[in-house]
Amino acid sequence: MKNKYIDIQLTQETLVLSECVNFVSSDSAGGIVNFVGTVRNLTKGKTVLRLDFEAYEPMAVSEMQKIAEKALEKFDIQKIAIHHRIGVLSINEVPVIISVSSSHRNAAFEACQFAIDTLKETVPIWKKEHFEDGEIWVSANP
Amino acid sequence: MKNKYIDIQLTQETLVLSECVNFVSSDSAGGIVNFVGTVRNLTKGKTVLRLDFEAYEPMAVSEMQKIAEKALEKFDIQKIAIHHRIGVLSINEVPVIISVSSSHRNAAFEACQFAIDTLKETVPIWKKEHFEDGEIWVSANP
Amino acid sequence: MKIRVLCFGITKELLGGFEQSFELAKGSKVIDLKQLLLVKNQTFEKLASLRIAINEEYCEDETEIYENDEVVLIPPVSGG
Amino acid sequence: MKIRVLCFGITKELLGGFEQSFELAKGSKVIDLKQLLLVKNQTFEKLASLRIAINEEYCEDETEIYENDEVVLIPPVSGG
């Protein structure tokens, strides 16, 4: 989903930070804040070999779209890009990138943090961690 | 100035976001927050043609280093890169990039915002805006 | 009525497959589906949370389910 | 004593050049230098701020200046 102010992508491809930055940058922006998620190599001391990300795709896209619209409504920002990857990822690969531009930087910081916090609560995407001795759906059990 | 946790650069060359991100990223980081400054095309409604950035170079580097050290002390972050450009910049070019990695994202957001806020107060770098009808040292007069 | 339920994440494993078909009384609500799930597999009780989406929107326990709805089980999400 | 003063940003224009040499009494402090600057050009009063760095560190008004110090005028910074 893409309009002049919002770029949402849910993809199997490697995410590209410069694509997000280029989308949000503009002559009248004073700053861009980016959040780049990375895949940690340890969970509770156990080595993570790789991860699977699974999504309920149409709803994941529409929930990301809602987050972007809410961010534009709530904060004085110019543009926002939210790209999320699905499929198999290795350690240090990037599952998510969020970029936000604004004329005054505080709004971009706030909106970027709001977007990643909300994404982690509402977007139907699930991460399965694979260890040497098994696998686990992250956060499923209390 | 560069050690395992801090990368400070003051340069005439184009800043490269992926360099900052690569420096701070690590297998144990859960997220990276980047601030990318951009040159706005308008100041109080007047078109900015280009900007000059001038620095008191040795002190600018040591003040950036202090900010990085303070950020590592104050927030639970892993690595920080602060790159600042000097010389002549056109609209939409990037004068500053700050990247911060951490295992938990809130620390990276806070540290990145702290770093850019402090940089704008303490680092001896001056920006001159050039308009069609003149030029001005930014912030010099109240 | 028969309703079709899609299962993501851990719920797919708890029910043994992505797509399920359940028999519910006409007029059933989300809360009734949740109770049926517990009958199918008690481990549902141990999930940190379970939300239900109908036609791509999160629903309340009191939302009524209709025959052709796309009903989806949303265990705790972990994107990002 | 003679002290060498480096001028950045707008201060270079207020004093007509990057490198200045001023005569100050031995034992002079940063505040004395600031007063001398006002004599040289009243516009210094109109700056939003003026900090002095000695040997690459910000100084207080009461810091004493020595003959071989690198003294630098820091008008309001605008990096970033």
Side-chain angles (χ1 to χ4, degrees):
Chain A
M1 282 197 192
K2 204 159 175 169
N3 67 25
K4 210 182 146 187
Y5 305 107
I6 295 176
D7 176 21
I8 303 297
Q9 288 186 34
L10 185 69
T11 172
Q12 304 253 6
E13 309 294 317
T14 302
L15 303 185
V16 182
L17 178 54
S18 60
E19 256 187 48
C20 293
V21 171
N22 290 343
F23 177 81
V24 301
S25 75
S26 82
D27 282 0
S28 61
I32 297 169
V33 174
N34 308 288
F35 177 77
V36 179
T38 49
V39 166
R40 244 176 296 175
N41 61 346
L42 287 178
T43 291
K44 291 173 189 158
K46 283 173 75 173
T47 303
V48 180
L49 302 179
R50 59 181 176 83
L51 291 103
D52 287 341
F53 283 86
E54 167 180 300
Y56 174 28
E57 298 193 25
M59 186 171 164
V61 169
S62 74
E63 289 293 324
M64 290 196 283
Q65 177 77 20
K66 280 184 200 165
I67 292 170
E69 285 167 4
K70 194 74 175 283
L72 280 161
E73 209 181 281
K74 217 169 134 84
F75 305 99
D76 187 17
I77 61 173
Q78 295 188 348
K79 295 185 184 181
I80 178 167
I82 306 178
H83 291 192
H84 203 296
R85 193 167 159 191
I86 47 179
V88 179
L89 273 77
S90 314
I91 301 308
N92 227 339
E93 286 198 288
V94 171
V96 64
I97 298 177
I98 299 177
S99 293
V100 181
S101 59
S102 63
S103 16
H104 300 287
R105 68 186 180 279
N106 284 352
F109 274 106
E110 284 172 1
C112 190
Q113 196 157 11
F114 162 81
I116 181 64
D117 288 352
T118 311
L119 183 148
K120 282 173 181 275
E121 281 168 15
T122 66
V123 178
I125 296 179
W126 296 271
K127 179 164 66 178
K128 188 184 226 175
E129 289 178 338
H130 294 261
F131 306 99
E132 284 208 348
D133 60 351
E135 51 195 44
I136 193 178
W137 285 105
V138 177
S139 310
N141 298 99
Chain B
M1 283 198 191
K2 204 159 178 170
N3 67 24
K4 209 182 145 187
Y5 305 107
I6 297 177
D7 177 22
I8 303 296
Q9 289 185 33
L10 186 68
T11 172
Q12 304 253 3
E13 310 293 316
T14 301
L15 303 185
V16 182
L17 178 54
S18 59
E19 258 187 45
C20 294
V21 171
N22 290 343
F23 176 80
V24 300
S25 75
S26 82
D27 281 0
S28 61
I32 297 169
V33 174
N34 308 289
F35 177 76
V36 178
T38 50
V39 166
R40 242 175 299 175
N41 62 346
L42 287 177
T43 292
K44 290 171 189 160
K46 281 173 76 174
T47 302
V48 179
L49 302 180
R50 61 182 175 82
L51 291 103
D52 287 342
F53 283 87
E54 168 180 299
Y56 173 30
E57 298 193 24
M59 185 172 165
V61 169
S62 73
E63 289 292 325
M64 289 196 283
Q65 177 76 20
K66 280 184 200 166
I67 292 170
E69 286 166 2
K70 193 74 176 281
L72 280 162
E73 208 179 283
K74 219 170 133 84
F75 305 99
D76 186 17
I77 60 172
Q78 297 189 347
K79 296 185 183 181
I80 178 166
I82 307 179
H83 291 191
H84 204 296
R85 192 166 159 192
I86 47 178
V88 179
L89 274 78
S90 314
I91 301 309
N92 226 337
E93 285 197 288
V94 171
V96 65
I97 299 177
I98 298 177
S99 292
V100 182
S101 60
S102 63
S103 15
H104 299 288
R105 66 186 182 281
N106 284 352
F109 273 107
E110 284 174 1
C112 189
Q113 196 157 11
F114 163 81
I116 182 64
D117 288 352
T118 310
L119 183 150
K120 283 174 180 274
E121 281 170 14
T122 66
V123 178
I125 297 179
W126 297 271
K127 177 164 65 176
K128 189 183 224 176
E129 290 179 336
H130 295 261
F131 305 100
E132 283 209 347
D133 61 351
E135 51 196 44
I136 193 176
W137 286 104
V138 176
S139 311
N141 299 98
Chain C
M1 62 181 182
K2 260 205 161 39
I3 60 151
R4 186 175 157 253
V5 174
L6 304 181
C7 308
F8 284 91
I10 196 170
T11 64
K12 188 172 42 192
E13 292 163 15
L14 295 182
L15 292 171
F18 174 61
E19 202 171 330
Q20 304 289 326
S21 177
F22 294 139
E23 191 63 41
L24 280 178
K26 223 170 163 159
S28 289
K29 295 175 177 174
V30 163
I31 186 79
D32 302 314
L33 171 61
K34 285 186 176 175
Q35 272 151 8
L36 179 62
L37 291 171
L38 270 174
V39 173
K40 301 267 175 196
N41 189 334
Q42 283 198 338
T43 314
F44 270 102
E45 209 165 38
K46 292 191 181 146
L47 292 183
S49 73
L50 179 68
R51 284 177 286 184
I52 309 287
I54 297 179
N55 305 326
E56 301 175 16
E57 295 285 344
Y58 287 113
C59 291
E60 305 298 319
D61 280 354
E62 295 308 310
T63 306
E64 192 174 337
I65 304 178
Y66 296 93
E67 194 154 9
N68 292 313
D69 282 343
E70 178 168 280
V71 179
V72 175
L73 306 190
I74 315 266
V77 301
S78 47
Chain D
M1 62 179 183
K2 261 204 161 37
I3 59 152
R4 184 175 159 255
V5 174
L6 304 181
C7 307
F8 284 90
I10 198 171
T11 65
K12 188 172 43 191
E13 291 163 15
L14 296 182
L15 292 171
F18 174 61
E19 201 172 332
Q20 304 288 326
S21 175
F22 293 140
E23 192 62 40
L24 280 178
K26 225 171 165 163
S28 288
K29 295 174 175 174
V30 163
I31 187 80
D32 302 314
L33 171 61
K34 285 186 174 174
Q35 271 152 8
L36 179 62
L37 292 171
L38 271 175
V39 174
K40 300 267 175 196
N41 188 335
Q42 283 197 335
T43 313
F44 270 102
E45 209 164 37
K46 293 191 182 146
L47 293 183
S49 73
L50 181 68
R51 284 177 286 184
I52 308 287
I54 296 180
N55 305 326
E56 303 175 14
E57 295 285 344
Y58 286 113
C59 292
E60 305 298 317
D61 280 354
E62 294 310 309
T63 306
E64 192 174 336
I65 304 177
Y66 297 92
E67 196 154 7
N68 291 312
D69 282 343
E70 178 167 280
V71 179
V72 174
L73 307 190
I74 315 266
V77 300
S78 47

